PDB file of all heavy atoms in Angstrom:
ATOM      1  N   LYS A 167      -5.321   6.582 -26.625  1.00 95.00           N
ATOM      2  CA  LYS A 167      -4.325   6.084 -25.696  1.00 95.00           C
ATOM      3  C   LYS A 167      -4.538   4.567 -25.478  1.00 95.00           C
ATOM      4  O   LYS A 167      -5.693   4.140 -25.399  1.00 95.00           O
ATOM      5  CB  LYS A 167      -4.556   6.776 -24.345  1.00 95.00           C
ATOM      6  CG  LYS A 167      -3.355   6.885 -23.437  1.00 95.00           C
ATOM      7  CD  LYS A 167      -3.770   7.685 -22.231  1.00 95.00           C
ATOM      8  CE  LYS A 167      -2.944   7.369 -21.078  1.00 95.00           C
ATOM      9  NZ  LYS A 167      -1.559   7.676 -21.297  1.00 95.00           N
ATOM     10  N   GLY A 169      -5.273   1.322 -23.595  1.00 96.00           N
ATOM     11  CA  GLY A 169      -5.934   1.097 -22.317  1.00 96.00           C
ATOM     12  C   GLY A 169      -6.724   2.319 -21.869  1.00 96.00           C
ATOM     13  O   GLY A 169      -6.871   2.619 -20.718  1.00 96.00           O
ATOM     14  N   HIS A 176     -11.655   7.726 -14.976  1.00 98.00           N
ATOM     15  CA  HIS A 176     -11.161   8.575 -13.892  1.00 98.00           C
ATOM     16  C   HIS A 176     -11.384  10.022 -14.247  1.00 98.00           C
ATOM     17  O   HIS A 176     -11.842  10.838 -13.450  1.00 98.00           O
ATOM     18  CB  HIS A 176      -9.676   8.282 -13.663  1.00 98.00           C
ATOM     19  CG  HIS A 176      -9.398   7.196 -12.714  1.00 98.00           C
ATOM     20  ND1 HIS A 176      -9.869   7.192 -11.418  1.00 98.00           N
ATOM     21  CD2 HIS A 176      -8.697   6.045 -12.882  1.00 98.00           C
ATOM     22  CE1 HIS A 176      -9.480   6.052 -10.814  1.00 98.00           C
ATOM     23  NE2 HIS A 176      -8.768   5.349 -11.656  1.00 98.00           N
ATOM     24  N   GLY A 206     -20.046  -3.106 -18.031  1.00 97.00           N
ATOM     25  CA  GLY A 206     -19.336  -4.143 -17.248  1.00 97.00           C
ATOM     26  C   GLY A 206     -18.069  -3.619 -16.591  1.00 97.00           C
ATOM     27  O   GLY A 206     -17.733  -3.923 -15.443  1.00 97.00           O
ATOM     28  N   TYR A 211     -15.418  -2.060 -10.965  1.00 98.00           N
ATOM     29  CA  TYR A 211     -14.468  -1.320 -10.097  1.00 98.00           C
ATOM     30  C   TYR A 211     -15.244  -0.602  -8.967  1.00 98.00           C
ATOM     31  O   TYR A 211     -16.143   0.190  -9.285  1.00 98.00           O
ATOM     32  CB  TYR A 211     -13.652  -0.352 -10.909  1.00 98.00           C
ATOM     33  CG  TYR A 211     -12.685  -1.072 -11.844  1.00 98.00           C
ATOM     34  CD1 TYR A 211     -13.033  -1.266 -13.192  1.00 98.00           C
ATOM     35  CD2 TYR A 211     -11.517  -1.585 -11.371  1.00 98.00           C
ATOM     36  CE1 TYR A 211     -12.179  -1.917 -14.055  1.00 98.00           C
ATOM     37  CE2 TYR A 211     -10.652  -2.317 -12.195  1.00 98.00           C
ATOM     38  CZ  TYR A 211     -10.960  -2.462 -13.564  1.00 98.00           C
ATOM     39  OH  TYR A 211     -10.118  -3.148 -14.376  1.00 98.00           O
ATOM     40  N   HIS A 212     -14.840  -0.835  -7.743  1.00 97.00           N
ATOM     41  CA  HIS A 212     -15.530  -0.177  -6.607  1.00 97.00           C
ATOM     42  C   HIS A 212     -15.433   1.324  -6.644  1.00 97.00           C
ATOM     43  O   HIS A 212     -16.300   2.055  -6.095  1.00 97.00           O
ATOM     44  CB  HIS A 212     -14.949  -0.687  -5.293  1.00 97.00           C
ATOM     45  CG  HIS A 212     -15.002  -2.184  -5.105  1.00 97.00           C
ATOM     46  ND1 HIS A 212     -16.214  -2.860  -5.169  1.00 97.00           N
ATOM     47  CD2 HIS A 212     -14.016  -3.099  -4.903  1.00 97.00           C
ATOM     48  CE1 HIS A 212     -15.927  -4.159  -4.980  1.00 97.00           C
ATOM     49  NE2 HIS A 212     -14.624  -4.308  -4.813  1.00 97.00           N
ATOM     50  N   HIS A 213     -14.376   1.844  -7.207  1.00 97.00           N
ATOM     51  CA  HIS A 213     -14.112   3.262  -7.152  1.00 97.00           C
ATOM     52  C   HIS A 213     -15.128   4.037  -8.007  1.00 97.00           C
ATOM     53  O   HIS A 213     -15.446   5.208  -7.679  1.00 97.00           O
ATOM     54  CB  HIS A 213     -12.700   3.579  -7.646  1.00 97.00           C
ATOM     55  CG  HIS A 213     -12.365   5.017  -7.707  1.00 97.00           C
ATOM     56  ND1 HIS A 213     -12.000   5.732  -6.561  1.00 97.00           N
ATOM     57  CD2 HIS A 213     -12.311   5.913  -8.730  1.00 97.00           C
ATOM     58  CE1 HIS A 213     -11.744   6.979  -6.897  1.00 97.00           C
ATOM     59  NE2 HIS A 213     -11.926   7.140  -8.178  1.00 97.00           N
ATOM     60  N   ARG A 228     -12.321  -0.637   6.741  1.00 98.00           N
ATOM     61  CA  ARG A 228     -12.882  -1.818   7.412  1.00 98.00           C
ATOM     62  C   ARG A 228     -11.870  -2.942   7.521  1.00 98.00           C
ATOM     63  O   ARG A 228     -12.242  -4.009   8.021  1.00 98.00           O
ATOM     64  CB  ARG A 228     -14.057  -2.316   6.568  1.00 98.00           C
ATOM     65  CG  ARG A 228     -15.302  -1.445   6.543  1.00 98.00           C
ATOM     66  CD  ARG A 228     -16.458  -2.240   5.970  1.00 98.00           C
ATOM     67  NE  ARG A 228     -16.848  -3.344   6.871  1.00 98.00           N
ATOM     68  CZ  ARG A 228     -17.314  -4.572   6.451  1.00 98.00           C
ATOM     69  NH1 ARG A 228     -17.457  -4.803   5.145  1.00 98.00           N
ATOM     70  NH2 ARG A 228     -17.626  -5.471   7.325  1.00 98.00           N
ATOM     71  N   GLU A 230      -8.372  -5.361   8.331  1.00 98.00           N
ATOM     72  CA  GLU A 230      -7.992  -6.011   9.612  1.00 98.00           C
ATOM     73  C   GLU A 230      -7.232  -5.124  10.589  1.00 98.00           C
ATOM     74  O   GLU A 230      -7.565  -5.110  11.778  1.00 98.00           O
ATOM     75  CB  GLU A 230      -7.114  -7.232   9.329  1.00 98.00           C
ATOM     76  CG  GLU A 230      -7.837  -8.412   8.691  1.00 98.00           C
ATOM     77  CD  GLU A 230      -7.893  -8.369   7.198  1.00 98.00           C
ATOM     78  OE1 GLU A 230      -7.639  -7.275   6.603  1.00 98.00           O
ATOM     79  OE2 GLU A 230      -8.143  -9.405   6.540  1.00 98.00           O
ATOM     80  N   SER A 231      -6.249  -4.378  10.136  1.00 98.00           N
ATOM     81  CA  SER A 231      -5.497  -3.532  11.059  1.00 98.00           C
ATOM     82  C   SER A 231      -6.411  -2.558  11.762  1.00 98.00           C
ATOM     83  O   SER A 231      -6.354  -2.383  12.960  1.00 98.00           O
ATOM     84  CB  SER A 231      -4.370  -2.842  10.339  1.00 98.00           C
ATOM     85  OG  SER A 231      -3.717  -1.954  11.249  1.00 98.00           O
ATOM     86  N   SER A 234      -8.470  -4.174  14.347  1.00 98.00           N
ATOM     87  CA  SER A 234      -7.766  -4.465  15.589  1.00 98.00           C
ATOM     88  C   SER A 234      -7.741  -3.276  16.534  1.00 98.00           C
ATOM     89  O   SER A 234      -7.459  -3.428  17.719  1.00 98.00           O
ATOM     90  CB  SER A 234      -6.319  -4.949  15.287  1.00 98.00           C
ATOM     91  OG  SER A 234      -5.489  -3.809  15.076  1.00 98.00           O
ATOM     92  N   CYS A 268      -8.401  -0.853   3.466  1.00 98.00           N
ATOM     93  CA  CYS A 268      -7.048  -0.377   3.735  1.00 98.00           C
ATOM     94  C   CYS A 268      -6.685   0.890   2.982  1.00 98.00           C
ATOM     95  O   CYS A 268      -6.901   0.999   1.773  1.00 98.00           O
ATOM     96  CB  CYS A 268      -6.010  -1.493   3.414  1.00 98.00           C
ATOM     97  SG  CYS A 268      -4.387  -1.057   4.106  1.00 98.00           S
ATOM     98  N   GLY A 270      -3.502   2.117   3.634  1.00 98.00           N
ATOM     99  CA  GLY A 270      -2.039   2.188   3.753  1.00 98.00           C
ATOM    100  C   GLY A 270      -1.626   3.022   4.932  1.00 98.00           C
ATOM    101  O   GLY A 270      -0.517   3.510   5.006  1.00 98.00           O
ATOM    102  N   ASN A 271      -2.568   3.174   5.874  1.00 98.00           N
ATOM    103  CA  ASN A 271      -2.298   3.969   7.051  1.00 98.00           C
ATOM    104  C   ASN A 271      -2.415   3.090   8.301  1.00 98.00           C
ATOM    105  O   ASN A 271      -2.801   3.555   9.362  1.00 98.00           O
ATOM    106  CB  ASN A 271      -3.268   5.210   7.110  1.00 98.00           C
ATOM    107  CG  ASN A 271      -2.792   6.281   8.033  1.00 98.00           C
ATOM    108  OD1 ASN A 271      -1.598   6.530   8.131  1.00 98.00           O
ATOM    109  ND2 ASN A 271      -3.700   6.942   8.736  1.00 98.00           N
ATOM    110  N   ALA A 273      -0.439   1.814  10.270  1.00 98.00           N
ATOM    111  CA  ALA A 273       0.356   2.141  11.504  1.00 98.00           C
ATOM    112  C   ALA A 273      -0.346   3.121  12.324  1.00 98.00           C
ATOM    113  O   ALA A 273       0.127   3.410  13.468  1.00 98.00           O
ATOM    114  CB  ALA A 273       1.732   2.614  11.073  1.00 98.00           C
ATOM    115  N   GLY A 286      -5.651   9.608  10.614  1.00 98.00           N
ATOM    116  CA  GLY A 286      -5.274   8.472  11.348  1.00 98.00           C
ATOM    117  C   GLY A 286      -5.702   8.529  12.799  1.00 98.00           C
ATOM    118  O   GLY A 286      -6.025   9.623  13.324  1.00 98.00           O
ATOM    119  N   ARG A 287      -5.639   7.365  13.492  1.00 98.00           N
ATOM    120  CA  ARG A 287      -6.049   7.260  14.913  1.00 98.00           C
ATOM    121  C   ARG A 287      -7.328   8.022  15.234  1.00 98.00           C
ATOM    122  O   ARG A 287      -7.320   8.883  16.114  1.00 98.00           O
ATOM    123  CB  ARG A 287      -4.876   7.728  15.812  1.00 98.00           C
ATOM    124  CG  ARG A 287      -3.693   6.836  15.717  1.00 98.00           C
ATOM    125  CD  ARG A 287      -2.770   7.025  16.883  1.00 98.00           C
ATOM    126  NE  ARG A 287      -1.404   6.546  16.464  1.00 98.00           N
ATOM    127  CZ  ARG A 287      -0.336   7.349  16.420  1.00 98.00           C
ATOM    128  NH1 ARG A 287      -0.399   8.566  16.851  1.00 98.00           N
ATOM    129  NH2 ARG A 287       0.792   6.850  15.997  1.00 98.00           N
TER     130      ARG A 287
ATOM    131  N   SER B 196       1.029   9.172   6.215  1.00 98.00           N
ATOM    132  CA  SER B 196       0.666   8.793   7.572  1.00 98.00           C
ATOM    133  C   SER B 196       1.016   9.895   8.559  1.00 98.00           C
ATOM    134  O   SER B 196       0.252  10.171   9.518  1.00 98.00           O
ATOM    135  CB  SER B 196       1.414   7.482   8.015  1.00 98.00           C
ATOM    136  OG  SER B 196       0.722   6.368   7.558  1.00 98.00           O
ATOM    137  N   SER B 199      -1.607  12.319   8.201  1.00 98.00           N
ATOM    138  CA  SER B 199      -2.862  11.869   8.797  1.00 98.00           C
ATOM    139  C   SER B 199      -2.872  12.120  10.305  1.00 98.00           C
ATOM    140  O   SER B 199      -3.905  12.043  10.925  1.00 98.00           O
ATOM    141  CB  SER B 199      -3.063  10.368   8.502  1.00 98.00           C
ATOM    142  OG  SER B 199      -2.458   9.543   9.483  1.00 98.00           O
ATOM    143  N   PHE B 231       5.941   5.595  13.579  1.00 98.00           N
ATOM    144  CA  PHE B 231       4.664   6.307  13.480  1.00 98.00           C
ATOM    145  C   PHE B 231       4.038   6.692  14.812  1.00 98.00           C
ATOM    146  O   PHE B 231       3.175   7.531  14.886  1.00 98.00           O
ATOM    147  CB  PHE B 231       3.684   5.614  12.553  1.00 98.00           C
ATOM    148  CG  PHE B 231       4.079   5.730  11.121  1.00 98.00           C
ATOM    149  CD1 PHE B 231       4.448   4.635  10.390  1.00 98.00           C
ATOM    150  CD2 PHE B 231       4.119   6.970  10.519  1.00 98.00           C
ATOM    151  CE1 PHE B 231       4.849   4.763   9.079  1.00 98.00           C
ATOM    152  CE2 PHE B 231       4.498   7.088   9.211  1.00 98.00           C
ATOM    153  CZ  PHE B 231       4.901   5.989   8.480  1.00 98.00           C
ATOM    154  N   SER B 370      -4.132  -5.453   3.894  1.00 97.00           N
ATOM    155  CA  SER B 370      -4.221  -4.729   5.100  1.00 97.00           C
ATOM    156  C   SER B 370      -2.912  -4.933   5.929  1.00 97.00           C
ATOM    157  O   SER B 370      -2.341  -6.031   5.886  1.00 97.00           O
ATOM    158  CB  SER B 370      -5.379  -5.253   5.972  1.00 97.00           C
ATOM    159  OG  SER B 370      -5.271  -4.769   7.289  1.00 97.00           O
ATOM    160  N   ARG B 376       3.792   2.317  -0.457  1.00 98.00           N
ATOM    161  CA  ARG B 376       3.360   3.739  -0.327  1.00 98.00           C
ATOM    162  C   ARG B 376       4.542   4.557   0.154  1.00 98.00           C
ATOM    163  O   ARG B 376       4.843   5.621  -0.360  1.00 98.00           O
ATOM    164  CB  ARG B 376       2.195   3.864   0.581  1.00 98.00           C
ATOM    165  CG  ARG B 376       1.747   5.302   0.754  1.00 98.00           C
ATOM    166  CD  ARG B 376       0.626   5.480   1.789  1.00 98.00           C
ATOM    167  NE  ARG B 376       0.974   5.114   3.155  1.00 98.00           N
ATOM    168  CZ  ARG B 376       1.873   5.744   3.886  1.00 98.00           C
ATOM    169  NH1 ARG B 376       2.547   6.778   3.442  1.00 98.00           N
ATOM    170  NH2 ARG B 376       2.105   5.315   5.147  1.00 98.00           N
ATOM    171  N   ARG B 407      -2.621   2.120  -6.749  1.00 97.00           N
ATOM    172  CA  ARG B 407      -3.972   2.018  -6.224  1.00 97.00           C
ATOM    173  C   ARG B 407      -4.592   3.413  -6.005  1.00 97.00           C
ATOM    174  O   ARG B 407      -3.885   4.385  -5.714  1.00 97.00           O
ATOM    175  CB  ARG B 407      -3.986   1.204  -4.911  1.00 97.00           C
ATOM    176  CG  ARG B 407      -3.389   1.869  -3.707  1.00 97.00           C
ATOM    177  CD  ARG B 407      -3.314   0.814  -2.592  1.00 97.00           C
ATOM    178  NE  ARG B 407      -4.581   0.177  -2.377  1.00 97.00           N
ATOM    179  CZ  ARG B 407      -5.243   0.152  -1.242  1.00 97.00           C
ATOM    180  NH1 ARG B 407      -4.701   0.685  -0.162  1.00 97.00           N
ATOM    181  NH2 ARG B 407      -6.414  -0.417  -1.123  1.00 97.00           N
ATOM    182  N   GLU B 444       5.068   5.952 -16.897  1.00 98.00           N
ATOM    183  CA  GLU B 444       3.766   6.583 -16.702  1.00 98.00           C
ATOM    184  C   GLU B 444       3.077   5.950 -15.502  1.00 98.00           C
ATOM    185  O   GLU B 444       3.215   4.806 -15.284  1.00 98.00           O
ATOM    186  CB  GLU B 444       2.940   6.288 -17.974  1.00 98.00           C
ATOM    187  CG  GLU B 444       1.838   7.250 -18.228  1.00 98.00           C
ATOM    188  CD  GLU B 444       1.161   6.910 -19.540  1.00 98.00           C
ATOM    189  OE1 GLU B 444       1.868   6.887 -20.637  1.00 98.00           O
ATOM    190  OE2 GLU B 444      -0.031   6.563 -19.522  1.00 98.00           O
ATOM    191  N   ALA B 448      -5.344   2.974 -10.510  1.00 98.00           N
ATOM    192  CA  ALA B 448      -6.255   1.869 -10.401  1.00 98.00           C
ATOM    193  C   ALA B 448      -7.636   2.367  -9.987  1.00 98.00           C
ATOM    194  O   ALA B 448      -7.865   3.576  -9.843  1.00 98.00           O
ATOM    195  CB  ALA B 448      -5.742   0.836  -9.446  1.00 98.00           C
ATOM    196  N   ALA B 449      -8.561   1.416  -9.688  1.00 98.00           N
ATOM    197  CA  ALA B 449      -9.919   1.892  -9.400  1.00 98.00           C
ATOM    198  C   ALA B 449     -10.551   1.088  -8.269  1.00 98.00           C
ATOM    199  O   ALA B 449     -11.761   0.827  -8.280  1.00 98.00           O
ATOM    200  CB  ALA B 449     -10.757   1.880 -10.667  1.00 98.00           C
ATOM    201  N   GLY B 450      -9.733   0.689  -7.284  1.00 96.00           N
ATOM    202  CA  GLY B 450     -10.314   0.153  -6.064  1.00 96.00           C
ATOM    203  C   GLY B 450     -10.826  -1.286  -6.181  1.00 96.00           C
ATOM    204  O   GLY B 450     -11.900  -1.583  -5.688  1.00 96.00           O
ATOM    205  N   SER B 463      -6.614  -4.853 -16.432  1.00 98.00           N
ATOM    206  CA  SER B 463      -7.091  -3.554 -16.033  1.00 98.00           C
ATOM    207  C   SER B 463      -6.312  -2.457 -16.778  1.00 98.00           C
ATOM    208  O   SER B 463      -6.888  -1.494 -17.266  1.00 98.00           O
ATOM    209  CB  SER B 463      -6.957  -3.433 -14.532  1.00 98.00           C
ATOM    210  OG  SER B 463      -7.377  -2.176 -14.078  1.00 98.00           O
ATOM    211  N   LYS B 467      -9.704  -3.110 -19.391  1.00 97.00           N
ATOM    212  CA  LYS B 467     -10.805  -4.059 -19.252  1.00 97.00           C
ATOM    213  C   LYS B 467     -11.141  -4.360 -17.808  1.00 97.00           C
ATOM    214  O   LYS B 467     -10.440  -3.858 -16.919  1.00 97.00           O
ATOM    215  CB  LYS B 467     -10.366  -5.381 -19.938  1.00 97.00           C
ATOM    216  CG  LYS B 467      -9.918  -5.268 -21.344  1.00 97.00           C
ATOM    217  CD  LYS B 467      -9.516  -6.601 -21.913  1.00 97.00           C
ATOM    218  CE  LYS B 467      -8.711  -6.433 -23.158  1.00 97.00           C
ATOM    219  NZ  LYS B 467      -7.685  -7.532 -23.291  1.00 97.00           N
ATOM    220  N   TYR B 484      -0.718  -6.375 -23.535  1.00 98.00           N
ATOM    221  CA  TYR B 484      -0.998  -6.408 -24.971  1.00 98.00           C
ATOM    222  C   TYR B 484      -0.304  -7.577 -25.658  1.00 98.00           C
ATOM    223  O   TYR B 484       0.135  -7.512 -26.793  1.00 98.00           O
ATOM    224  CB  TYR B 484      -0.604  -5.094 -25.665  1.00 98.00           C
ATOM    225  CG  TYR B 484      -1.274  -3.894 -25.024  1.00 98.00           C
ATOM    226  CD1 TYR B 484      -0.537  -2.965 -24.291  1.00 98.00           C
ATOM    227  CD2 TYR B 484      -2.659  -3.731 -25.145  1.00 98.00           C
ATOM    228  CE1 TYR B 484      -1.158  -1.851 -23.728  1.00 98.00           C
ATOM    229  CE2 TYR B 484      -3.291  -2.636 -24.517  1.00 98.00           C
ATOM    230  CZ  TYR B 484      -2.563  -1.730 -23.834  1.00 98.00           C
ATOM    231  OH  TYR B 484      -3.143  -0.618 -23.232  1.00 98.00           O
ATOM    232  N   GLY B 528      -1.585  -2.470  13.367  1.00 98.00           N
ATOM    233  CA  GLY B 528      -2.614  -2.983  14.194  1.00 98.00           C
ATOM    234  C   GLY B 528      -2.422  -2.550  15.649  1.00 98.00           C
ATOM    235  O   GLY B 528      -1.909  -1.474  15.945  1.00 98.00           O
ATOM    236  N   THR B 533       4.169   1.184  16.185  1.00 98.00           N
ATOM    237  CA  THR B 533       3.955   0.711  14.860  1.00 98.00           C
ATOM    238  C   THR B 533       4.861   1.458  13.894  1.00 98.00           C
ATOM    239  O   THR B 533       5.326   2.545  14.179  1.00 98.00           O
ATOM    240  CB  THR B 533       2.523   0.967  14.411  1.00 98.00           C
ATOM    241  OG1 THR B 533       2.220   2.361  14.613  1.00 98.00           O
ATOM    242  CG2 THR B 533       1.528   0.125  15.196  1.00 98.00           C
ATOM    243  N   GLU B 618     -16.033 -12.648   3.844  1.00 98.00           N
ATOM    244  CA  GLU B 618     -16.748 -11.448   3.332  1.00 98.00           C
ATOM    245  C   GLU B 618     -15.933 -10.697   2.369  1.00 98.00           C
ATOM    246  O   GLU B 618     -16.349 -10.239   1.302  1.00 98.00           O
ATOM    247  CB  GLU B 618     -17.198 -10.559   4.528  1.00 98.00           C
ATOM    248  CG  GLU B 618     -18.074  -9.375   4.130  1.00 98.00           C
ATOM    249  CD  GLU B 618     -18.294  -8.380   5.241  1.00 98.00           C
ATOM    250  OE1 GLU B 618     -17.861  -8.621   6.422  1.00 98.00           O
ATOM    251  OE2 GLU B 618     -18.938  -7.360   4.994  1.00 98.00           O
TER     252      GLU B 618
END
Side-chain angles (χ1 to χ4, degrees):
Chain A
K167 205 178 156 62
H176 274 300
Y211 294 98
H212 302 303
H213 178 79
R228 291 193 66 214
E230 289 90 342
S231 174
S234 80
C268 193
N271 199 34
R287 293 198 204 119
Chain B
S196 277
S199 87
F231 288 114
S370 167
R376 179 185 62 67
R407 71 189 308 235
E444 204 177 300
S463 180
K467 304 179 196 149
Y484 303 112
T533 52
E618 186 188 356

